[in-house]
Amino acid sequence: MGAEQQVSAGFAELYGTAPEGVWAAPGRVNLIGEHTDYNDGFVMPFALPHTAVAAVSRRTDGRLRLHSADVEGGVAELRLDDLAPESDRSWTAYPAGVVWALREAGHPVTGADVHLTSTVPSGAGLSSSAALEVVVALALNDLFELGLPPWQLARLCQRAENVYVGAPTGIMDQTASACCEDGHALFLDTRDLSQKQIPFDLAAEGMRLLVVDTQVKHAHSGGEYGKRRAGCEKGAALLGVDALRDVPYAELDAALERLGDEEEVRRLVRHVVTEDRRVERVVSLLESGETRAIGPLLVEGHASLRDDFRISCPELDLVVDTALASGALGARMTGGGFGGSAIVLAEAADVDTIGKAVEEAFAAAGFTAPRTFEAVPSPGARRLA
C-alpha cells in the first residue's frame, strides 16, 4: 500500500469517513546558498523524494482536528478562534500555524480534519517542518478554493513558522517545497522571489548526490540560529544597507574594513557575501554543462560555514573530510547547522566506497552511525488524489 492509500485509510479510520483529498509536499536539500535567505540573497535548493502526505477534509464548525501517524497520541482538537502565536510547543504548531496565517490574511478557512504522515527525516536539516506546513497549506488552498499561487502559499507558511511557531527561518524551505520541479534545482532570489529552474540531472552525467544524515539533531527555534540572524542584521545596519545582499562581492574587503573590530559581525558578513557569489557561480557552471566543476564551490561553502559562520560540528566536518579523502568531487554541510546533514557530490562509481568510508570513520570516532541516501531532484508540492 502506497503512502497515498495508507494516509487515506488512516483518515477514514480516525474520522469515520473518506478524506476529500490527499496531498504531498517534499523536504528539500540546499545545493548551495546557506543562511543567505534571510539576508535577501540567493539560494539553490531542490526537492527530495521524501514527502509529508496529508489526507484532509473541510469542516464548517471552526474546529481543527490534527493527527500524525508518526507521533504517539490521539487526535488533537483545536478551536480556530483560540489559535495564537507561540501558544503550542508540539508538532501541531506547524499545521495549526498555517491555518492561523491563512485566516490572519483574510482567507475563509472554517476548519479541517487532517491526518498526516511523513518520510522526511526530522532534525536532519531537510525541512521536515516546511513540508508539513506546505502540504496543509496546499490542501486548504484547494479545498477552500483560495486561488493562491505556490509562492504565496510559501510566504504564508513562512509567516506561520516565524510568528506562530517562533522560529526565525527564511523563505527558502517553504518555497522549495512548494515550487521545485522534477529534475531541477531552484535558483531563487529571496528578495523578490523570482525563480529559475536549473536542469540538474546528475544520473544522466554519471554522478550522484548523497545526503549523509549525521543523526545529530538540531532545533531552529534554538538561540544560536537567531543569534546569527541578529548578527547579520547588525552587519547590514553598520554598513548602511537594507540587507547583506546589497554588499557587492567586489567591495567585500572594503566593507569588512569598515566594520573595524566587530570580529563576529565581520565573519558573518564575509560568509553571506561570498556565499551569494558561490550560488551565482554554481548557476553559471550548471547552465554551461560544467556540473563536475561545482564540487570545489561546495567545499568552499563548507569551509565558510565552519570557519566564518561557525555552525558546523565534528560529525559534519568528518563527513566532508572523509568523503573528499575518498574521492568525492565536493561536499559540504547543508541546512541550518549545529547537526543535521551533509551532501556529497560523487562519481556514480565512487558512491559505495565513499559511503563505506564515512560509516567506518563514524564508528572509529565513536559517533552514532549516519544514515545515507541518494538525493534525486524531485517534484514540489502536489495533489495526489
Side-chain angles (χ1 to χ4, degrees), residues 13 25 32 50 127 240 374:
E13 199 176 309
I32 192 81
H50 306 70
S127 297
E374 187 181 343

Side-chain angles (χ1 to χ4, degrees), residues 112-379:
D113 286 339
V114 180
H115 175 55
L116 288 149
T117 187
S118 178
T119 56
V120 185
S122 69
L126 304 175
S127 297
S128 56
S129 57
L132 274 188
E133 292 156 0
V134 170
V135 75
V136 170
L138 182 61
L140 297 176
N141 188 46
D142 286 356
L143 290 174
F144 289 97
E145 299 179 345
L146 305 179
L148 299 169
W151 67 266
Q152 210 165 337
L153 290 178
R155 271 264 155 107
L156 286 162
C157 289
Q158 184 202 11
R159 179 165 164 74
E161 188 146 349
N162 288 172
V163 181
Y164 195 90
V165 178
T169 54
I171 189 67
M172 172 180 66
D173 297 349
Q174 293 83 2
T175 305
S177 187
C179 301
C180 278
E181 289 183 8
D182 200 12
H184 290 75
L186 179 71
F187 176 38
L188 174 68
D189 181 335
T190 64
R191 171 164 281 169
D192 61 12
L193 295 191
S194 59
Q195 304 174 14
K196 189 174 186 184
Q197 300 286 346
I198 309 292
F200 191 54
D201 184 356
L202 292 173
E205 298 187 58
M207 284 175 284
R208 298 285 187 273
L209 190 80
L210 297 178
V211 174
V212 182
D213 175 5
T214 64
Q215 307 280 357
V216 178
K217 302 297 181 194
H218 70 172
H220 262 173
S221 358
E224 290 299 324
Y225 183 98
K227 271 189 216 165
R228 301 301 186 285
R229 186 165 183 162
C232 289
E233 287 165 1
K234 181 179 179 182
L238 289 170
L239 292 169
V241 292
D242 290 339
L244 294 183
R245 146 74 173 279
D246 298 313
V247 179
Y249 178 74
E251 296 170 24
L252 175 58
D253 288 347
L256 294 176
E257 214 165 282
R258 283 168 54 204
L259 291 170
D261 57 4
E262 292 275 359
E263 185 49 41
E264 189 177 345
V265 175
R266 281 162 57 98
R267 286 191 285 99
L268 299 177
V269 170
R270 183 164 52 225
H271 167 71
V272 173
V273 176
T274 57
E275 186 79 347
D276 271 336
R277 177 73 177 142
R278 279 186 284 275
V279 178
E280 292 179 303
R281 289 169 68 196
V282 167
V283 170
S284 175
L285 288 167
L286 291 179
E287 288 188 323
S288 59
E290 297 175 72
T291 307
R292 283 171 176 79
I294 73 172
L297 292 169
L298 302 183
V299 180
E300 268 183 40
H302 183 76
S304 182
L305 289 161
R306 181 191 64 212
D307 302 337
D308 277 344
F309 230 68
R310 299 192 180 177
I311 57 169
S312 190
C313 65
E315 290 86 349
L316 287 167
D317 293 340
L318 186 59
V319 174
V320 172
D321 294 344
T322 305
L324 293 173
S326 307
L329 297 165
R332 74 173 191 91
M333 60 154 286
T334 187
F338 311 106
S341 300
I343 55 173
V344 178
L345 180 69
E347 302 289 357
D350 295 335
V351 161
D352 290 345
T353 306
I354 291 166
K356 191 163 181 280
V358 170
E359 274 182 29
E360 288 172 354
F362 267 56
F367 295 152
T368 302
R371 174 177 178 238
T372 302
F373 58 90
E374 187 181 343
V376 180
S378 300

